[in-house]
């Protein structure tokens, strides 16, 4: 009964969205991507890693690379189209990309049949009820990784508690902390199916840092750089306050989305014409990045980073800045990130109003990094650099 009600609501919502899709470019592309026929021909065992969007993909790249090297056919599944321009250039991490269909029984059954995976890995919180039901029905083993939750989560309360009962059939839950373990145990998951390991994002960030290259033009900028990374419209007041408060610095704005509409939004609100990657000058004061995939290469040039999203839904990835020893400022919505708890008031600083930004940044600019902070950063990444337990579990599931 609950599954029928859930599927009916999903059908109504998706039908309504499809009606308006022709008038919304993002929705139009989202539906168009799911019309492509999935055709995969390989003799290798197939593993799917499902990620909501680009951020979760970055979290799993190192695992994907190891699985590919082990001889598996690696498929990335996405809900969002975020970052696809960059992802499609990184073929070393996967063999195929697919998009998760609308969570309806018939669509999910067709999706799983067309792929026929040996294992389905779900990163973080993609608890799609019909997907999990079909995986269980087809006897396709699945597991969750990078689970970071607690007993107060909406997924353990009515009505989602019943809709997501299928997670109990997961082979394993790789959780990031004790509170996640406790929450799952209270939900009825046996202790032996929960393994506590650190967030795989740290290992992926370390791996990516080793591959980094210089960015033409940026190393010649003569001003101290403040970077505003993964910014949304809700971050514009922080950006404007920063530009006004530090007129002698170079301010680099990197929107989370770089489509025409978002770039236009920022251009219209910035106090001066911004340089782009193609028009950089050593004395540039204002730079607007309109290319995807370059952000992680820019942090090493910055003195301070503001990470966007904290005045909207949730803050974005802070580790790419911190591994470069760049202190991070973010908005109030930062719940559920172990690294933020670890680095709070050491390398990460929360603000609750845009006007607080200048006060925090002035303090950070005046502060030189000490040996203790540097050691603290090194210790975090060394302690978190391991995906071996996940790889061992995958081999055991597939080969047993």
């Amino acid at each position: 009964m609950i599954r029928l009600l859930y599927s009916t609501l999903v059908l109504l919502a998706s039908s309504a969205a499809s009606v308006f899709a022709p008038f919304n470019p993002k929705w139009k592309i989202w539906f168009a991507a799911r019309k492509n026929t999935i055709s995969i021909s390989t003799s290798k065992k197939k593993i799917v890693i499902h990620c909501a969007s680009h951020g979760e993909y970055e979290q799993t790249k190192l695992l994907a690379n190891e699985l590919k090297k082990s001889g598996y056919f690696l498929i990335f599944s996405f809900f969002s189209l975020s970052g696809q321009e960059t992802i499609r250039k990184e073929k070393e991490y996967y063999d195929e990309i697919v998009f998760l269909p609308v969570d309806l029984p018939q669509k999910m059954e067709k999706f799983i049949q067309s792929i026929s995976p040996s294992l389905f890995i779900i990163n973080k919180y993609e608890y799609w009820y019909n997907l999990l039901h079909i995986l269980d029905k087809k006897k396709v083993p699945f597991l969750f990784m990078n689970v970071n939750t607690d007993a107060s989560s909406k997924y353990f309360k009515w009505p989602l508690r019943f809709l997501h009962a299928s997670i109990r059939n997961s082979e394993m839950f790789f959780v990031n902390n004790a509170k996640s373990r406790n929450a799952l145990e209270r939900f009825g998951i046996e202790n032996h199916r929960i393994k506590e390991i650190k967030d795989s994002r740290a290992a992926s960030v370390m791996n990516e840092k080793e591959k980094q290259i210089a960015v033409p033009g940026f190393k010649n900028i003569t001003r101290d750089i403040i970077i505003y990374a993964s910014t949304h419209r809700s971050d514009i007041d922080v950006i404007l306050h920063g530009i006004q408060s530090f007129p002698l610095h170079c301010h680099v704005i990197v929107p989370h989305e770089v489509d025409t509409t978002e770039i236009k939004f920022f251009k219209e609100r910035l106090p001066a014409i911004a340089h782009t990657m193609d028009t950089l000058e050593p004395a540039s004061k204002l730079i607007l990045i309109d290319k995807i995939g370059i952000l992680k290469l820019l942090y090493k040039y910055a003195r301070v980073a503001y990470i966007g999203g904290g005045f909207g839904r949730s803050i974005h990835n802070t580790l790419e800045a911190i591994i470069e020893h760049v202190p991070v400022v973010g908005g109030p919505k930062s719940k559920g990130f172990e690294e933020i708890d670890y680095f709070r008031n050491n390398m990460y600083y929360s603000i609750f109003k845009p006007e607080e930004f200048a006060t925090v940044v002035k303090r950070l600019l005046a502060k030189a990094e000490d040996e203790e902070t540097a050691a603290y950063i090194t210790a975090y990444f060394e302690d978190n650099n391991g995906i071996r337990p996940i790889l061992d579990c995958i081999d055991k599931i597939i080969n047993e």
Side-chain angles (χ1 to χ4, degrees), residues 153-178:
S153 169
K154 62 184 178 181
Y155 296 113
F156 300 125
K157 295 179 178 179
W158 171 264
L160 296 184
R161 179 181 177 88
F162 294 94
L163 292 176
H164 296 87
S166 291
I167 70 170
R168 290 193 175 97
N169 297 319
S170 175
E171 297 286 330
M172 183 64 72
F173 295 85
F174 289 98
V175 303
N176 295 153
N177 46 50

Side-chain angles (χ1 to χ4, degrees), residues 377-392:
I377 295 169
T378 300
Y380 177 84
F381 284 97
E382 287 181 349
D383 290 346
N384 285 272
N385 189 19
I387 55 170
R388 175 49 54 189
I390 303 178
L391 291 169
D392 291 342

Side-chain angles (χ1 to χ4, degrees), residues 147-314:
V147 177
N148 188 351
T149 188
D150 57 45
S152 65
S153 169
K154 62 184 178 181
Y155 296 113
F156 300 125
K157 295 179 178 179
W158 171 264
L160 296 184
R161 179 181 177 88
F162 294 94
L163 292 176
H164 296 87
S166 291
I167 70 170
R168 290 193 175 97
N169 297 319
S170 175
E171 297 286 330
M172 183 64 72
F173 295 85
F174 289 98
V175 303
N176 295 153
N177 46 50
K179 69 177 182 180
S180 299
R181 171 186 287 278
N182 293 337
L184 289 172
E185 287 178 348
R186 289 179 61 181
F187 192 56
I189 307 300
E190 298 94 335
N191 181 273
H192 70 273
R193 290 197 290 128
I194 306 171
K195 189 169 184 63
E196 190 175 336
I197 64 171
K198 297 299 183 180
D199 190 331
S200 66
R201 182 187 281 114
S204 292
V205 168
M206 284 189 71
N207 185 56
E208 287 297 301
K209 178 176 169 56
E210 294 172 2
K211 303 177 183 178
Q212 285 197 10
I213 57 174
V215 180
F218 264 85
K219 63 181 180 180
N220 299 323
I221 292 176
T222 57
R223 302 175 185 275
D224 283 344
I225 293 175
I226 300 174
I227 190 167
Y228 306 83
S230 297
T231 52
H232 295 261
R233 298 186 181 201
S234 56
D235 299 302
I236 189 63
D237 288 340
V238 175
I239 297 171
L240 295 177
H241 184 68
I243 293 171
Q244 183 181 25
S245 301
F246 302 97
L248 300 181
H249 287 67
C250 174
H251 300 269
V252 180
I253 297 99
V254 189
H256 184 62
E257 301 284 352
V258 294
D259 56 67
T260 304
T261 304
E262 288 301 293
I263 294 298
K264 183 173 182 285
F265 171 86
F266 285 100
K267 278 184 176 179
E268 290 176 346
R269 285 156 181 80
L270 293 176
I273 296 175
H275 289 270
T276 65
M277 288 294 298
D278 299 323
T279 62
L280 285 182
E281 296 176 359
S284 294
K285 283 188 176 183
L286 194 58
I287 302 170
L288 181 61
I289 304 297
D290 56 0
K291 296 180 180 179
I292 291 176
I294 197 171
L295 174 58
K296 61 191 170 190
L297 304 178
L298 300 181
Y299 286 119
K300 58 179 169 283
Y301 302 105
R303 287 289 309 280
V304 176
Y306 170 80
I307 307 295
F311 282 98
R313 189 174 177 182
S314 181

